[in-house]
Amino acid sequence: FDIGGINFEIGDFFVCHCDDCKRARAAIPGTAEDYYKDMAISIAPVAELAHQIAPDAWLSYATYTGFTPAMAAQPPAWVKLIPEQIICQWTLTGMVSDEAWPDGLRPPTARNIGYLHWGNKSTHSVHRFFTARIQDVCRRAADAGFLGLVTYGEDPASIMTMRLFYTAWSFFLDHPYATLDDFASGPLTGWFNSTPDARRFLRIALDLEKSGMTRAALSAALEAAGAARRAASQDRARDTWTEFIAYLQGRLAEIEAADRVIEDPAEVAAAMTEGFRVPQETS
């Protein structure tokens, strides 16, 4: 397939201590962290050359951090070293809140995308719900003039949480000011051929997003989904509820299967000194 661009990464927070790099950092005014300066020193020449070779390509670079009010008020000197047409990728994972990202806050760079560590194996978040957070970050990014957002796509839509994840991104990136009810009455209705069922499903998913996939939350979700399946009047709705119930049962079974009773004195002693890993909510 055709490659549409390059994302430049130099390794988060690493700094080179050779004499050349020390001199180059010293020549950049301001109090920005050294890794920002190294990022600009390393990326600026190759990004500029890449732009000359392929001016229509999407060229971006990773900061590994979010932006701050201080950056917005006084843009760091390293910003001017990288050509404006190169897209700056900010990590937004820890920024999706009113405290970290107040209304009106924009990055100090001209062209921007945002990166989220959601729905992937490294953050153990494949089996989590993100719909409300996706709606929130899409609205914030649109307010700040972002060109787009980046997240993971490494797990299949056959996993119910990931299917909802991809559907929510597809909708809210195109409609960043839509409501959650717009989402339910739009793409989610197609899952059920029924808007009331779609709204009911979204309420359950939002409860699980807020509470986490705990025993109590999964049990409550199973009860609600079972009642919805019994009340469903469409075959498509019953099929989707059945799929959702099977997914929830599987998550609850994983927790219950990992429950352990340790009685052997040697095993107890080993666990006390070495510890052992168990899934969340395991007893």
Side-chain angles (χ1 to χ4, degrees), residues 160 163 190-194 197 201 225 228-247:
M160 202 76 176
R163 180 180 172 191
W191 289 25
F192 297 88
N193 281 343
S194 162
D197 281 284
F201 170 82
R229 181 175 61 180
R230 291 189 294 274
S233 59
Q234 300 277 343
D235 288 343
R236 180 74 176 272
R238 282 191 289 272
D239 289 345
T240 303
W241 283 119
T242 298
E243 181 186 357
F244 187 41
I245 288 167
Y247 174 76

XYZ file of all heavy atoms in Angstrom, residues 160 163 190-194 197 201 225 228-247:
254
model
N -16.085 -6.905 21.726
C -17.196 -5.950 21.798
C -16.726 -4.546 22.178
O -17.201 -3.554 21.620
C -18.230 -6.447 22.806
C -19.607 -5.889 22.635
S -20.446 -6.673 21.240
C -22.061 -5.930 21.334
N -15.124 -3.000 19.096
C -16.121 -2.648 18.074
C -16.760 -1.300 18.409
O -16.918 -0.439 17.540
C -17.177 -3.747 18.000
C -18.272 -3.488 16.961
C -19.251 -4.653 16.978
N -20.426 -4.388 16.152
C -21.519 -5.144 16.173
N -21.572 -6.217 16.966
N -22.553 -4.848 15.416
N -27.994 1.144 14.137
C -27.781 0.100 13.142
C -27.388 -1.234 13.740
O -27.582 -2.290 13.115
N -26.814 -1.220 14.944
C -26.455 -2.484 15.594
C -27.705 -3.277 15.979
O -27.640 -4.500 16.138
C -25.651 -2.210 16.859
C -24.263 -1.705 16.662
C -23.766 -1.036 15.583
C -23.183 -1.822 17.586
N -22.452 -0.713 15.786
C -22.063 -1.185 17.004
C -23.052 -2.385 18.848
C -20.819 -1.110 17.635
C -21.825 -2.305 19.500
C -20.718 -1.690 18.884
N -28.813 -2.563 16.220
C -30.008 -3.183 16.797
C -31.240 -3.075 15.902
O -32.253 -3.716 16.192
C -30.338 -2.507 18.146
C -29.283 -2.671 19.206
C -28.234 -1.771 19.299
C -29.332 -3.725 20.101
C -27.253 -1.908 20.279
C -28.368 -3.879 21.084
C -27.315 -2.973 21.162
N -31.178 -2.219 14.867
C -32.385 -1.851 14.121
C -33.435 -1.269 15.058
O -34.646 -1.432 14.842
C -32.978 -3.049 13.368
C -32.220 -3.342 12.087
O -31.469 -2.506 11.590
N -32.413 -4.536 11.543
N -32.950 -0.602 16.107
C -33.861 -0.075 17.126
C -33.125 1.000 17.923
O -32.116 0.706 18.571
C -34.325 -1.197 18.057
O -34.848 -0.674 19.255
N -33.251 0.322 21.853
C -32.267 -0.684 22.261
C -30.860 -0.097 22.245
O -30.046 -0.397 23.130
C -32.344 -1.900 21.340
C -33.507 -2.822 21.684
O -33.399 -3.556 22.673
O -34.518 -2.785 20.971
N -28.375 0.044 25.400
C -27.023 -0.514 25.334
C -25.987 0.534 25.736
O -25.064 0.254 26.508
C -26.736 -1.008 23.913
C -25.300 -1.378 23.662
C -24.804 -2.617 24.028
C -24.436 -0.464 23.058
C -23.473 -2.949 23.799
C -23.113 -0.792 22.823
C -22.627 -2.031 23.193
N -28.670 -6.285 30.548
C -28.639 -6.767 29.157
C -29.603 -7.930 28.958
O -30.246 -8.049 27.904
C -27.220 -7.177 28.784
N -33.010 -6.546 28.626
C -33.156 -5.902 27.321
C -33.354 -6.938 26.221
O -34.165 -6.727 25.302
C -31.924 -5.042 27.031
N -32.633 -8.030 26.300
C -32.798 -9.084 25.277
C -34.213 -9.662 25.323
O -34.827 -9.894 24.281
C -31.770 -10.182 25.465
C -31.874 -11.280 24.416
C -30.772 -12.302 24.534
N -30.781 -13.001 25.818
C -29.911 -13.947 26.169
N -28.943 -14.302 25.317
N -29.976 -14.523 27.339
N -34.724 -9.872 26.519
C -36.079 -10.435 26.637
C -37.136 -9.474 26.096
O -38.169 -9.888 25.572
C -36.367 -10.780 28.102
C -35.556 -11.961 28.632
C -36.036 -12.397 30.001
N -35.800 -11.384 31.035
C -34.659 -11.265 31.727
N -33.649 -12.106 31.489
N -34.534 -10.342 32.651
N -36.853 -8.176 26.222
C -37.830 -7.181 25.782
C -37.679 -6.799 24.315
O -38.560 -6.133 23.756
C -37.698 -5.917 26.642
N -36.596 -7.222 23.680
C -36.312 -6.803 22.309
C -37.336 -7.372 21.334
O -37.732 -8.538 21.438
C -34.910 -7.234 21.905
N -37.755 -6.542 20.379
C -38.757 -6.975 19.407
C -38.159 -7.263 18.031
O -38.842 -7.794 17.160
C -39.845 -5.891 19.257
O -39.269 -4.665 18.831
N -36.878 -6.913 17.837
C -36.216 -7.113 16.552
C -35.216 -8.266 16.652
O -34.514 -8.399 17.654
C -35.464 -5.842 16.142
C -36.343 -4.616 15.984
C -36.998 -4.574 14.628
O -36.576 -5.264 13.692
N -38.042 -3.777 14.503
N -35.145 -9.096 15.612
C -34.166 -10.184 15.602
C -32.739 -9.625 15.703
O -31.899 -10.193 16.401
C -34.298 -11.007 14.324
C -35.566 -11.858 14.305
O -36.155 -12.063 15.384
O -35.960 -12.301 13.212
N -32.472 -8.547 14.980
C -31.141 -7.942 15.013
C -30.796 -7.496 16.428
O -29.664 -7.677 16.897
C -31.097 -6.746 14.041
C -29.760 -6.018 13.990
C -28.720 -6.842 13.241
N -27.469 -6.118 13.103
C -27.193 -5.288 12.097
N -28.105 -5.064 11.141
N -26.032 -4.690 12.028
N -31.755 -6.921 17.118
C -31.521 -6.480 18.495
C -31.226 -7.669 19.407
O -30.283 -7.630 20.212
C -32.721 -5.692 19.005
N -32.016 -8.729 19.276
C -31.781 -9.906 20.118
C -30.406 -10.500 19.856
O -29.708 -10.926 20.797
C -32.880 -10.947 19.879
C -34.187 -10.625 20.573
C -35.143 -11.807 20.515
N -35.644 -12.003 19.154
C -36.725 -11.402 18.657
N -37.427 -10.575 19.410
N -37.117 -11.637 17.420
N -29.987 -10.524 18.591
C -28.668 -11.063 18.250
C -27.557 -10.225 18.880
O -26.573 -10.766 19.406
C -28.486 -11.096 16.732
C -29.346 -12.161 16.063
O -29.861 -13.041 16.782
O -29.501 -12.094 14.830
N -27.695 -8.907 18.821
C -26.657 -8.029 19.387
C -26.625 -8.139 20.902
O -25.543 -8.167 21.515
C -26.882 -6.570 18.948
O -26.907 -6.504 17.522
C -25.777 -5.665 19.466
N -27.805 -8.188 21.521
C -27.828 -8.366 22.977
C -27.197 -9.701 23.370
O -26.471 -9.791 24.361
C -29.274 -8.296 23.494
C -29.826 -6.907 23.575
C -30.903 -6.413 22.907
C -29.338 -5.827 24.388
N -31.125 -5.093 23.235
C -30.164 -4.716 24.146
C -28.282 -5.706 25.290
C -29.974 -3.482 24.771
C -28.074 -4.481 25.920
C -28.911 -3.391 25.658
N -27.468 -10.742 22.591
C -26.876 -12.055 22.871
C -25.352 -11.995 22.786
O -24.642 -12.557 23.633
C -27.415 -13.100 21.878
O -28.838 -13.217 22.045
C -26.765 -14.462 22.099
N -24.857 -11.303 21.771
C -23.403 -11.138 21.621
C -22.823 -10.369 22.807
O -21.766 -10.733 23.347
C -23.115 -10.394 20.315
C -21.636 -10.173 20.038
C -21.400 -9.313 18.812
O -22.373 -8.933 18.128
O -20.216 -8.999 18.543
N -23.501 -9.313 23.215
C -23.034 -8.491 24.334
C -23.041 -9.297 25.627
O -22.089 -9.243 26.419
C -23.922 -7.256 24.458
C -23.459 -6.252 25.471
C -22.112 -5.916 25.612
C -24.379 -5.605 26.295
C -21.686 -4.975 26.534
C -23.965 -4.662 27.226
C -22.619 -4.345 27.353
N -24.096 -10.053 25.858
C -24.187 -10.880 27.071
C -23.058 -11.904 27.105
O -22.426 -12.116 28.155
C -25.568 -11.565 27.138
C -26.644 -10.520 27.472
C -25.570 -12.697 28.159
C -28.065 -11.016 27.267
N -22.779 -12.536 25.971
C -21.686 -13.510 25.920
C -20.348 -12.844 26.237
O -19.493 -13.428 26.932
C -21.637 -14.162 24.544
N -20.146 -11.633 25.750
C -18.905 -10.911 26.042
C -18.792 -10.632 27.548
O -17.741 -10.876 28.161
C -18.858 -9.598 25.261
C -17.679 -8.742 25.640
C -16.402 -9.050 25.185
C -17.833 -7.662 26.493
C -15.306 -8.291 25.561
C -16.751 -6.896 26.871
C -15.489 -7.208 26.405
O -14.403 -6.455 26.802
